[in-house]
Amino acid sequence: MEAKKVAFYTLGCKLNFSETSTIARSFENEGFERVEFSEKADIYVINTCSVTENADKRFKTIVKQAQKANENAFLIAVGCYAQLKPEELAAVDGVDLVLGATEKFKITDYLNDLTKNDHGEVHSCEINEADFYVGSYSIGDRTRAFLKVQDGCDYKCTYCTIPLARGISRSDKLENVLNNAAEISEKGIKEIVLTGVNIGDYGKGEFGNKKHEHTFLDLVKALDEVDGIERLRISSIEPNLLKNETIDFVSVSRTFVPHFHIPLQSGSDEILKLMRRRYMSDLYVDRVSRIREVMPNACIGVDVIVGFPGETDEHFLETYNFLNDLDISYLHVFTYSERDNTPAADMEGVVPLKIRKKRSKMLRGLSAKKRRAFYESQIGNTVTVLFEGENKEGYIHGFTENYVKVKAPWNPNKVNTLQRIKLTEIGEDGLVRFEEVPEAVAV
């Protein structure tokens, strides 16, 4: 009997990608064959996101794509949006099953009957029941893997739905993380990216309670000793949880690369207070200064939200000037969008959409300027690049340890290799060209 086919589509963050991979492996263990989302499958699983309004809208488009490939396929929605608004997703034409935060990892238990439904069936919990931890990692491409170490969040930022969608902060056991990391390295994957909702909070909930047995620094130090891992990268980490000790350790680490992504959200202390962030702008300056002190060539990325309720032109210019003066490498700019059941949705001082978009455009322009300046500062440096597996119009791309993107003519022998190179110039496309260092040996 031919194996049933399943396809997956992931919206949102690295954490979602790691969880999709884990869910996919549970299907493969049940004898399903995984195929591309564009191919004909018996089941389509869409892992949803709720961070922006755009992610909500994209869900319906993706459902239509699946229906086009196979109008009789069984469609399942999981993820953050599925937890927050299960009935809304269940009502979308073609959706058969919606699974919330605790049910998504038991997805294969719900596959006894794949008969199409007139209305999607919902299995979701109260979010306070999402208090157990399920480890996961993604191995979607050969070069890097996303390793989940933490889930949920205890912060109460006024714009954010993540605590409502993912529950309380909880962590994987250190032993499990190290085992997963070793498993990944055995598959020949060269780079592991640590991911979670609030990874700096690692340790909390490791044993089903709030007791901290381990800290994020303990995790980083333990991972640095796992044999076979070439590179470890920290994904987004809150500035108040990125301690000097961690920065200093990364600067001398065997495997951790000099790349930090630190959410700022606003350069105005007034707006940070309205957002209920857990730091002020001066602490952020301290974090960046410390990184620059011990790792002058580090790449520092920043998340920023524009158009938050109450953000005046003066507040925005404060943010713009703050970022312009800061020695950072690039920005991820988010245009604020109202989310149901968040305090910010009821705040006064709503910023018109037109102004939000204008501010967003200004900061994206600043980001391009910052990235260019960072790349220029790296020209002449000898670094290590990890080449990726995709042939893009006759070129191979890769990232240096400090996240400079490089390109060269396609060479399949370079895929998933680490090579020493010297950065020489920035091309017209904004990517960096290089020359190979003769004594460099592909790892």
Side-chain angles (χ1 to χ4, degrees):
M1 198 171 132
E2 196 181 340
K4 287 199 179 298
K5 294 177 178 174
V6 60
F8 298 86
Y9 196 105
T10 306
L11 288 160
C13 60
K14 295 180 176 78
L15 179 56
N16 269 7
F17 278 93
S18 76
E19 291 183 342
T20 297
S21 270
T22 297
I23 292 166
R25 287 194 290 277
S26 72
F27 271 90
E28 286 162 6
N29 292 341
E30 296 287 333
F32 284 82
E33 179 191 343
R34 183 175 181 177
V35 297
E36 293 297 318
F37 199 81
S38 55
E39 295 177 45
K40 186 175 181 180
D42 301 287
I43 299 173
Y44 292 91
V45 180
I46 304 169
N47 194 351
T48 63
C49 167
S50 69
V51 170
T52 64
E53 195 178 6
N54 191 35
D56 294 2
K57 288 175 181 168
R58 282 191 63 200
F59 176 75
K60 288 179 183 172
T61 309
I62 295 153
V63 167
K64 282 178 182 159
Q65 281 176 27
Q67 288 175 311
K68 199 172 172 186
N70 181 6
E71 62 182 358
N72 298 314
F74 196 79
L75 264 64
I76 306 174
V78 300
C80 291
Y81 190 17
Q83 175 64 34
L84 288 173
K85 297 195 173 178
E87 296 299 339
E88 202 172 288
L89 290 192
V92 172
D93 183 42
V95 173
D96 299 292
L97 181 62
V98 179
L99 299 178
T102 59
E103 286 77 17
K104 64 188 171 190
F105 293 109
K106 301 180 253 178
I107 189 167
T108 54
D109 296 349
Y110 293 93
L111 302 180
N112 296 328
D113 181 8
L114 295 182
T115 310
K116 292 291 288 175
N117 298 314
D118 292 336
H119 188 277
E121 190 180 313
V122 172
H123 294 276
S124 71
C125 63
E126 291 301 316
I127 198 57
N128 58 10
E129 293 169 31
D131 57 359
F132 57 89
Y133 187 86
V134 177
S136 54
Y137 60 83
S138 78
I139 44 173
D141 72 51
R142 285 170 56 195
T143 48
R144 73 174 52 81
F146 300 129
L147 172 58
K148 174 181 166 185
V149 300
Q150 182 274 344
D151 200 351
C153 188
D154 292 340
Y155 285 11
K156 300 287 188 286
C157 301
T158 52
Y159 52 82
C160 187
T161 57
I162 295 298
L164 301 173
R166 284 189 169 270
I168 59 171
S169 178
R170 54 209 188 273
S171 309
D172 203 353
K173 287 188 171 67
L174 185 59
E175 185 187 355
N176 288 349
V177 176
L178 298 178
N179 287 341
N180 283 342
E183 231 172 82
I184 292 166
S185 70
E186 282 165 14
K187 296 178 192 298
I189 291 165
K190 299 281 194 283
E191 180 173 306
I192 295 176
V193 183
L194 303 187
T195 185
V197 174
N198 188 359
I199 64 172
D201 207 26
Y202 177 82
K204 191 184 282 185
E206 194 181 353
F207 301 99
N209 55 32
K210 291 296 175 191
K211 185 163 66 85
H212 272 263
E213 185 76 17
H214 296 103
T215 64
F216 184 67
L217 180 60
D218 293 335
L219 172 73
V220 165
K221 284 181 171 177
L223 280 166
D224 197 48
E225 293 180 11
V226 176
D227 285 339
I229 298 174
E230 304 281 354
R231 273 187 183 181
L232 283 155
R233 201 178 290 276
I234 298 168
S235 67
S236 186
I237 182 167
E238 293 284 306
N240 53 304
L241 295 174
L242 179 57
K243 307 295 187 193
N244 284 347
E245 295 83 1
T246 304
I247 294 169
D248 293 347
F249 181 78
V250 168
S251 73
V252 296
S253 153
R254 179 181 69 87
T255 53
F256 277 90
V257 294
H259 176 204
F260 296 87
H261 193 92
I262 315 167
L264 169 68
Q265 310 311 13
S266 176
S268 161
D269 286 347
E270 273 185 58
I271 299 298
L272 287 173
K273 284 173 187 168
L274 286 175
M275 290 176 165
R276 285 194 209 144
R277 300 292 285 159
R278 297 197 176 194
Y279 54 86
M280 291 291 106
S281 57
D282 57 351
L283 179 123
Y284 199 93
V285 173
D286 285 350
R287 301 297 86 210
V288 172
S289 302
R290 182 65 173 213
I291 293 167
R292 286 277 167 251
E293 195 182 314
V294 295
M295 288 172 273
N297 291 312
C299 180
I300 304 173
V302 183
D303 284 343
V304 61
I305 295 171
V306 296
F308 188 81
E311 184 186 67
T312 61
D313 287 344
E314 289 74 21
H315 289 133
F316 173 70
L317 282 174
E318 205 179 335
T319 295
Y320 188 94
N321 292 329
F322 178 82
L323 290 165
N324 193 34
D325 294 343
L326 209 55
D327 191 0
I328 54 162
S329 315
Y330 64 89
L331 305 172
H332 280 174
V333 184
F334 297 90
T335 306
Y336 172 76
S337 60
E338 287 78 2
R339 316 308 293 151
D340 290 347
N341 303 315
T342 59
D346 299 320
M347 285 182 180
E348 294 176 358
V350 173
V351 179
L353 278 174
K354 194 175 173 185
I355 294 175
R356 294 184 211 182
K357 286 177 181 171
K358 182 185 170 189
R359 290 175 184 172
S360 181
K361 191 176 178 183
M362 283 177 70
L363 281 183
R364 289 199 169 100
L366 178 62
S367 179
K369 190 179 96 172
K370 288 283 184 184
R371 193 184 293 272
R372 176 87 188 191
F374 174 62
Y375 280 7
E376 283 174 354
S377 75
Q378 300 303 301
I379 299 301
N381 288 353
T382 298
V383 290
T384 304
V385 63
L386 173 59
F387 286 107
E388 304 196 331
E390 197 179 343
N391 183 342
K392 290 184 181 174
E393 296 173 359
Y395 286 92
I396 189 168
H397 294 82
F399 284 95
T400 65
E401 57 268 52
N402 62 342
Y403 215 55
V404 173
K405 191 172 186 182
V406 304
K407 72 182 276 192
W410 172 253
N411 179 349
N413 296 327
K414 283 190 164 80
V415 171
N416 198 32
T417 63
L418 286 157
Q419 296 196 350
R420 295 290 284 168
I421 59 168
K422 183 179 180 183
L423 303 176
T424 55
E425 61 177 339
I426 302 174
E428 285 178 14
D429 56 3
L431 303 185
V432 181
R433 306 299 190 270
F434 59 87
E435 56 190 38
E436 291 184 21
V437 177
E439 65 270 22
V441 179
V443 180

